[in-house]
Amino acid sequence: MNKNSNTYTFLYATVLVVVVATALSLIATGLKSRQQKNIEVEKKQNILLSVNKALGVDTVPDRSAYIEELYRRYIVEEYLVDADGNKKEGEAFTMNMKTQYDIIREINASGISDEKKSELRRKLSLPVFVCRNDDGALKYIMPVYGLGLWGAIWGYISLDNDFNTIYGAIFDHKGETPGLGAEIAFPKFFNQFEGKQLFENGQFVSIRIVKGGATTGDRHGVNAISGGTITSRGVEEMLKNCLTEYKPFFEQQKTNAKIHDVAIE
Amino acid sequence: MENIISIFIKSIFVDNMIFAFFLGMCSYIAVSKNVKTAMGLGMAVIFVQVVTLPVNYLLNTYLLTPGSLAWISPELAGMDLSFLSFIIFIAVIASIVQILEMVIEKVAPALYNQLGIFLPLIAVNCAIMGGSLFMQEREYAGLGEATAFALGSGAGWCLAIVGIAAIREKLSYSNVPVPLRGVGITFILTGLMGIAFMSFMGIKL
Amino acid sequence: MDTEKTGNNTGLFWKLFTAPIGKNNPITVLILGVCSALAVTVQLESALVMGLAVTIVTGFSSLIVSSLRTTISPRIRIIVQLVVVATLVIIVDQVLRAYAYQASKQLSIFVGLIITNCIIMGRIEAFALANKPWLSLIDGIGNGLGYGMILVIVAFFRELFGSGTLLGYQIIPESWYIANGGFYENNGLMILPPAALIVVGLIIWVQRSFYKI
């Protein structure tokens, strides 16, 4: 057959496309469950790391079994809350924080009327994960999401049941500069958050990321990453914007806890 | 609007395709011996980037992202075609470059004389493919942002290649160690230019 | 190259395999495929994975295109080659996501950019279209390894001097650091993008002086 004829070219292209499409869809479907499992395990791992569990993950031979087992043992509850802090219908684990971030970003955009803000807030569904430590103490884990220098950054913050003191934190990112912004994903940075406080005399102050280093004894500040100014600023914004929306939930839980304490007394 | 301007400026100076990501280095090194040709290639890259990136953006939003097929029928919402991204992006780029070449030749022969020889080179220019992949990874919101990124990243690439071409023109009068001549010194110079460009990192928009 | 006649010669195989690793190196001598090479060289591990991925794609794309070479219509040659390469890259990407998730996260978009890596199209055009499949496979793998080698060398220096580690293990003793009362500090410049270009420039200098090109 003449290689230059239109029919040949057309047939050749068709056969090629069919072969390639079949091969690719077979491979993609075959590997899909494994890929999703990887993503799920990583999410669980980050949630566990934010409450200082699963620290030995790099030394175990079967990462996914190890993470699943710990997740079952420690994470006792997961639910969604609305902007007033009340529980809401829905699946917390599969909630994509990006969608919540898009709403939060709109709320914080300049020139938004209060009316519009509360309308946007009604759309929020914020995930909360509850961890019970071996000694029975409850820790509350909140996901956060924001923008760094090159793209998305996200993480998990866990609080003691006073809803003020940070118990642990972990951050991850899509593609911050290795060695600079990317340092937010290393213990040296996120371990600083432990013991810091979100409230000062009942006022929400969030956590400051201080360039040049926070003063010792600063309960609301941690050291920024040198050379990673924009990423550090991104983390600060992310914490402030996301945790502000959780504030009603914190306050409500605090009140509940007080009532609970009084009842016990 | 602020967002669009910020993406545009950032993609020229901060996320520069050459200095921050080394994309499109092959043609950058090969075609930077004089300013005039460098300018021609730079313009062609801007042009192709601005045409292909929005097309890929639309394909990505309405075809490739998981759940994006819901607009055809709700039953398709569970489909995930994202594994086809690479092949679709490169096919779009290759065919648009081909079509552009034919159209420009017919409509504007003068422009074709300037850009024509560069167009085939661009089909396999990493800066173009990289632009589409970055668009997908960074999840730009809306055609406006995607186009701003296309224009900015193309302009950034053009700026880089014209800059190095100007330096290389001057450099032909310098006494560079023989094994370093040509490519070697170009790499080192690009590195130094990259360091200079890093000072833009601090700009807040 | 007159390879069709002497296809069984092991010496030729060996030459095809080693030339691109040394004096015909695709990156430093032919200046191909630099684009995606440099962004993944901050850590040795990602450089190794990237080198391996590129070797697999160059090898197999050369093999496949060479086997198809008598059937491809010249009019759609480029697009057929692109489809073959893109398919292989998607397969590599999917496998990485399933079995080496951490590595695939680090490489992010640079796996996709293997498609536009000039080495692959370059070897197909220059070699695979005119030679037998086995020779093309060897040529492809040799070029992939030559590319991977430069990546590994660059990454070795950048990780060692930039982070004081190799493959994630601390190499520079902790006690040397100024923070621990020593005299040493990591060179932050090595981690930044421009350092990659400067290191490659220096490698080219060394290699060209050595081979007297």
Side-chain angles (χ1 to χ4, degrees):
Chain A
M1 205 172 175
N2 179 9
K3 272 203 285 178
N4 285 321
S5 78
N6 282 338
T7 344
Y8 182 86
T9 312
F10 190 73
L11 276 178
Y12 197 92
T14 320
V15 171
L16 187 74
V17 166
V18 170
V19 170
V20 164
T22 329
L24 285 184
S25 31
L26 280 179
I27 287 171
T29 7
L31 295 174
K32 183 140 198 168
S33 62
R34 233 194 123 89
Q35 294 170 356
Q36 274 171 344
K37 183 91 192 149
N38 283 335
I39 295 170
E40 192 189 311
V41 165
E42 188 183 42
K43 187 165 179 179
K44 288 185 171 168
Q45 180 184 327
N46 279 339
I47 292 176
L48 287 168
L49 282 170
S50 77
V51 280
N52 308 327
K53 303 287 182 297
L55 295 172
V57 65
D58 288 328
T59 56
V60 292
D62 186 352
R63 176 191 290 249
S64 94
Y66 172 78
I67 295 289
E68 292 287 349
E69 143 76 17
L70 287 178
Y71 195 81
R72 252 191 319 257
R73 189 183 336 154
Y74 288 112
I75 306 299
V76 288
E77 211 182 341
E78 41 191 61
Y79 48 81
L80 293 174
V81 296
D82 62 17
D84 298 323
N86 299 315
K87 281 194 194 174
K88 199 174 173 178
E89 281 285 298
E91 183 78 36
F93 188 77
T94 50
M95 171 54 71
N96 186 353
M97 216 30 210
K98 167 97 172 43
T99 59
Q100 301 306 305
Y101 169 74
D102 288 339
I103 305 175
I104 293 173
R105 188 163 68 161
E106 234 180 295
I107 294 175
N108 289 308
S110 53
I112 298 279
S113 68
D114 286 351
E115 214 170 288
K116 180 88 177 125
K117 274 188 188 174
S118 49
E119 190 191 313
L120 284 167
R121 286 212 161 97
R122 270 198 291 279
K123 285 198 267 177
L124 286 173
S125 310
L126 304 161
V128 175
F129 303 89
V130 185
C131 160
R132 191 195 292 125
N133 276 356
D134 291 328
D135 60 5
L138 294 182
K139 309 291 170 193
Y140 295 82
I141 305 160
M142 268 66 59
V144 288
Y145 191 101
L147 282 184
L149 171 63
W150 306 115
I153 51 176
W154 61 90
Y156 295 87
I157 298 281
S158 68
L159 295 182
D160 284 338
N161 62 352
D162 64 355
F163 291 93
N164 181 14
T165 314
I166 294 181
Y167 179 66
I170 179 148
F171 301 106
D172 205 349
H173 60 93
K174 204 150 209 174
E176 298 306 299
T177 323
L180 300 174
E183 295 291 309
I184 60 165
F186 288 94
K188 197 180 163 216
F189 178 69
F190 58 69
N191 281 351
Q192 299 181 78
F193 284 78
E194 206 178 316
K196 301 289 173 192
Q197 296 186 336
L198 295 178
F199 289 85
E200 173 84 47
N201 300 328
Q203 284 294 311
F204 178 72
V205 290
S206 192
I207 298 291
R208 284 187 306 273
I209 317 279
V210 187
K211 204 177 165 181
T215 49
T216 34
D218 186 347
R219 276 178 300 152
H220 312 290
V222 298
N223 301 339
I225 294 155
S226 55
T229 316
I230 297 178
T231 313
S232 301
R233 212 184 287 148
V235 173
E236 186 177 290
E237 287 273 297
M238 163 169 88
L239 293 175
K240 188 169 135 263
N241 292 344
C242 292
L243 294 177
T244 303
E245 302 307 323
Y246 276 100
K247 211 171 76 184
F249 169 72
F250 297 158
E251 314 246 305
Q252 201 187 50
Q253 294 292 317
K254 271 194 251 183
T255 337
N256 286 354
K258 264 187 209 131
I259 296 167
H260 186 69
D261 288 347
V262 173
I264 288 174
E265 279 169 26
Chain B
M1 196 58 208
E2 282 165 40
N3 223 346
I4 289 178
I5 296 170
S6 144
I7 287 177
F8 176 69
I9 304 281
K10 248 172 78 176
S11 52
I12 297 180
F13 296 108
V14 187
D15 309 9
N16 188 292
M17 281 283 177
I18 292 277
F19 300 130
F21 297 105
F22 325 105
L23 297 182
M25 285 297 282
C26 309
S27 26
Y28 170 85
I29 304 262
V31 195
S32 59
K33 289 196 185 83
N34 73 66
V35 175
K36 208 166 161 250
T37 32
M39 194 71 191
L41 183 65
M43 285 297 162
V45 165
I46 298 181
F47 195 62
V48 174
Q49 188 80 301
V50 172
V51 179
T52 55
L53 211 141
V55 174
N56 279 338
Y57 174 80
L58 292 175
L59 282 170
N60 187 42
T61 327
Y62 295 105
L63 196 69
L64 299 172
T65 323
S68 60
L69 286 169
W71 63 276
I72 302 178
S73 89
E75 290 139 48
L76 290 175
M79 288 273 280
D80 177 4
L81 291 182
S82 54
F83 68 92
L84 287 176
S85 324
F86 296 166
I87 207 163
I88 290 198
F89 288 171
I90 193 73
V92 165
I93 293 168
S95 34
I96 286 186
V97 167
Q98 195 98 81
I99 295 169
L100 274 180
E101 202 179 342
M102 292 190 286
V103 171
I104 296 179
E105 195 179 2
K106 278 260 156 57
V107 181
L111 185 66
Y112 181 77
N113 284 338
Q114 282 173 357
L115 295 188
I117 43 163
F118 299 118
L119 284 170
L121 254 181
I122 288 173
V124 287
N125 187 319
C126 316
I128 307 286
M129 181 72 178
S132 291
L133 291 172
F134 275 129
M135 171 274 295
Q136 187 187 37
E137 170 164 303
R138 294 182 188 158
E139 299 171 351
Y140 284 121
L143 205 53
E145 286 192 15
T147 316
F149 173 64
L151 197 59
S153 58
W157 198 88
C158 181
L159 184 71
I161 193 171
V162 172
I164 192 80
I167 296 179
R168 284 181 80 173
E169 273 186 9
K170 293 274 175 221
L171 208 65
S172 51
Y173 304 107
S174 316
N175 191 13
V176 179
V178 178
L180 206 53
R181 266 181 208 165
V183 186
I185 193 74
T186 311
F187 269 102
I188 294 176
L189 280 173
T190 311
L192 296 176
M193 286 167 78
I195 295 176
F197 261 68
M198 287 192 67
S199 53
F200 286 114
M201 277 232 204
I203 48 175
K204 186 172 159 73
L205 287 161
Chain C
M1 207 183 288
D2 196 17
T3 43
E4 291 280 1
K5 276 179 271 173
T6 49
N8 313 330
N9 190 337
T10 35
L12 177 74
F13 265 62
W14 185 240
K15 225 173 93 193
L16 270 178
F17 187 70
T18 51
I21 297 176
K23 71 173 191 198
N24 258 330
N25 191 289
I27 295 191
T28 53
V29 181
L30 308 173
I31 318 301
L32 290 174
V34 195
C35 322
S36 51
L38 302 173
V40 297
T41 50
V42 175
Q43 277 146 352
L44 195 52
E45 194 190 341
S46 27
L48 281 169
V49 176
M50 185 72 176
L52 194 66
V54 170
T55 308
I56 290 172
V57 177
T58 38
F60 283 96
S61 62
S62 284
L63 176 69
I64 294 172
V65 172
S66 171
S67 327
L68 295 175
R69 72 186 191 282
T70 50
T71 68
I72 302 174
S73 153
R75 282 196 293 175
I76 51 168
R77 190 187 79 225
I78 298 281
I79 215 96
V80 169
Q81 291 164 5
L82 277 177
V83 168
V84 169
V85 176
T87 311
L88 286 167
V89 171
I90 293 177
I91 295 174
V92 167
D93 180 49
Q94 295 288 324
V95 170
L96 279 180
R97 272 174 211 239
Y99 294 96
Y101 184 63
Q102 295 303 326
S104 94
K105 250 182 65 182
Q106 272 171 11
L107 294 179
S108 71
I109 74 154
F110 293 97
V111 180
L113 285 175
I114 298 178
I115 299 176
T116 48
N117 190 319
C118 327
I119 296 178
I120 299 171
M121 290 300 275
R123 287 331 286 171
I124 292 177
E125 286 279 304
F127 196 90
L129 278 177
N131 287 288
K132 285 188 179 149
W134 286 115
L135 286 177
S136 308
L137 177 69
I138 299 287
D139 176 74
I141 292 179
N143 275 283
L145 289 177
Y147 167 90
M149 190 189 69
I150 298 294
L151 244 62
V152 167
I153 295 176
V154 177
F156 175 85
F157 288 113
R158 288 184 75 189
E159 190 177 341
L160 183 62
F161 295 116
S163 320
T165 58
L166 279 180
L167 287 170
Y169 296 101
Q170 191 71 36
I171 297 292
I172 313 271
E174 291 280 359
S175 58
W176 283 17
Y177 285 96
I178 290 176
N180 300 332
F183 57 90
Y184 185 80
E185 184 99 62
N186 282 331
N187 183 350
L189 184 67
M190 289 308 265
I191 292 171
L192 298 173
L197 294 163
I198 295 174
V199 173
V200 173
L202 296 177
I203 293 178
I204 292 177
W205 190 358
V206 171
Q207 202 179 15
R208 291 200 171 178
S209 324
F210 185 74
Y211 287 107
K212 302 255 186 315
I213 306 167

